[in-house]
Structures are given as structure tokens and as C-alpha cells.
């Protein structure tokens, strides 16, 4: 029996043991971190999906003299929101948590309020989205605090970019709803 064959049973046993072992958290941050960060990220992900669809709702239903500008602005903002859903969900998986599985789960977790009104004026649409994006940035700051407590720098640094994007959307929406004769602030 050569050395390679001799060690085989032990390696096989170790592999079998490893297969039966509880699932370790991939990022090595531990169980508590996986739970806390996972919960924060999944709620955020649900919010981003809900705000994405509300932004598209307004993109589809906006009307009036600024139709083209608003329609295009909201399309751009919808794309930006949709683009971060995947990295948020995958970050939850990387830290060792599960993530969203359905529209139903999004509905249960989202804190963004839907707006199914038959008609919303363009000004009200932009004002509502501005507020939603500001609140989203606030919730991202809260999630940043949770990640910080667990030393999860990778999620905090992603959140910093996403907060900036939310604030940029809020800024565009704020400027687009200002009257042209107001002095600059
Ligand atoms: Fe479109």
C-alpha cells in the first residue's frame, strides 16, 4: 500500500464529516452576523424591488408637458434600482444568509408603500419618489450600522455607493420639481 492509498480512507472520512457539518458562513463572519446582516439586506432588497416597480409604474403612467423628460428620468432611475437588487441578494448569500424567493416575500418585507392610484400628477409622482429615495438612503445608513457592528467592511462599502446613488436620485427628483423662478439653494 503506497502512502497515497493509505491516507485515502482518512481523507474520505474527513470529507464525509465536512459534508455533514453545519453549513459554515461563507464569509466567515459568524452566525449572528449572517442573521443580522441577512435580515437588513433582505428588507433592503425588498424595498429596492418595490421602489423599482413604483418608479416603472410612474415611468409608464406619467403624462403632461414634461412627459419625455420625466419618462426618461424615471427609466434611468428604475434601471439603477434594478441593477443593485442582484448584488444586495448575493451579498446576503455571501455572509451566510438566505435571500428573497418570491414577489410574495417582497410584499411581506417591503417598507416602501405601493401607489396603485388610477391617476397621480407628475409633480406628486416625483415628490413621492424623492421621499422614497430619501427613506431608502436612511434605511441603507441603518443597515450600514448593522454591518459595521459585525466588521463587515465589504457590505458597508457597497452600501456607501448605494447611498450615494439614492441621494443622487433624490437630488434629481428634487431639482425636477422646483419651480424655475426659485433662487438656487
Ligand atoms: Fe420603458
Amino acid at each position: 500500500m503506497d502512502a497515497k492509498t493509505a491516507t485515502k480512507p482518512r481523507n474520505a472520512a474527513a470529507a464525509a464529516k465536512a459534508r455533514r457539518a453545519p453549513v459554515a458562513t461563507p464569509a466567515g463572519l459568524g452566525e449572528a452576523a449572517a442573521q443580522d446582516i441577512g435580515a437588513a439586506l433582505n428588507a433592503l432588497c425588498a424595498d429596492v424591488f418595490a421602489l423599482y416597480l413604483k418608479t416603472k409604474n410612474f415611468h409608464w403612467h406619467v403624462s403632461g408637458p414634461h412627459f419625455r423628460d420625466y419618462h426618461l428620468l424615471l427609466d434611468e432611475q428604475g434601471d439603477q434600482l434594478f441593477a443593485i437588487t442582484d448584488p444586495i441578494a448575493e451579498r446576503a448569500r455571501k455572509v451566510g444568509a438566505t435571500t428573497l424567493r418570491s414577489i410574495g416575500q417582497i410584499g411581506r418585507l417591503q417598507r416602501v408603500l405601493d401607489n396603485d392610484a388610477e391617476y397621480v400628477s407628475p409633480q406628486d409622482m416625483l415628490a413621492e419618489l424623492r421621499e422614497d429615495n430619501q427613506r431608502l438612503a436612511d434605511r441603507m445608513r441603518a443597515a450600514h450600522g448593522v454591518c459595521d457592528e459585525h466588521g463587515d467592511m465589504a457590505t458597508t462599502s457597497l452600501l456607501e455607493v448605494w447611498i450615494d446613488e439614492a441621494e443622487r436620485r433624490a437630488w434629481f427628483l428634487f431639482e425636477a420639481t422646483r419651480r424655475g423662478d426659485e433662487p438656487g439653494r
Side-chain angles (χ1 to χ4, degrees):
M1 196 183 279
D2 62 26
K4 205 175 162 191
T5 322
T7 57
K8 201 176 173 190
R10 201 182 61 200
N11 288 345
K17 194 177 163 201
R19 279 200 302 276
R20 286 192 304 271
V23 180
T25 58
L29 292 165
E31 257 321 299
Q35 266 188 15
D36 294 350
I37 299 167
L41 287 175
N42 288 335
L44 266 187
C45 202
D47 283 338
V48 173
F49 269 116
L51 186 52
Y52 161 70
L53 198 53
K54 190 196 270 192
T55 303
K56 292 299 278 196
N57 164 16
F58 291 167
H59 159 79
W60 294 321
H61 294 103
V62 71
S63 58
H66 300 292
F67 169 78
R68 186 180 158 79
D69 279 352
Y70 295 166
H71 179 72
L72 295 178
L73 173 68
L74 299 184
D75 205 22
E76 207 178 280
Q77 297 203 345
D79 285 350
Q80 194 175 54
L81 285 160
F82 186 73
I84 67 169
T85 55
D86 190 57
I88 297 174
E90 290 191 355
R91 193 62 212 154
R93 297 292 293 133
K94 285 175 204 167
V95 301
T98 57
T99 191
L100 302 183
R101 299 180 197 276
S102 65
I103 295 287
Q105 193 182 3
I106 290 170
R108 290 188 294 277
L109 291 178
Q110 73 181 72
R111 293 156 296 186
V112 171
L113 296 177
D114 291 338
N115 186 340
D116 295 347
E118 183 68 26
Y119 175 79
V120 183
S121 76
Q123 291 295 302
D124 286 351
M125 284 180 176
L126 300 192
E128 187 170 331
L129 291 177
R130 189 193 69 218
E131 212 171 287
D132 285 334
N133 276 288
Q134 282 168 341
R135 283 200 194 136
L136 183 69
D138 289 342
R139 288 172 187 137
M140 285 175 169
R141 277 184 212 101
H144 189 283
V146 173
C147 300
D148 213 19
E149 275 172 33
H150 292 288
D152 179 6
M153 284 89 139
T155 308
T156 56
S157 88
L158 287 168
L159 282 164
E160 282 158 22
V161 175
W162 298 335
I163 290 166
D164 176 62
E165 288 180 359
E167 287 172 346
R168 186 175 195 270
R169 288 190 299 273
W171 172 41
F172 270 61
L173 292 161
F174 167 72
E175 290 296 345
T177 48
R178 276 216 293 176
R179 289 194 354 247
D181 57 355
E182 280 178 70
R185 268 173 272 173

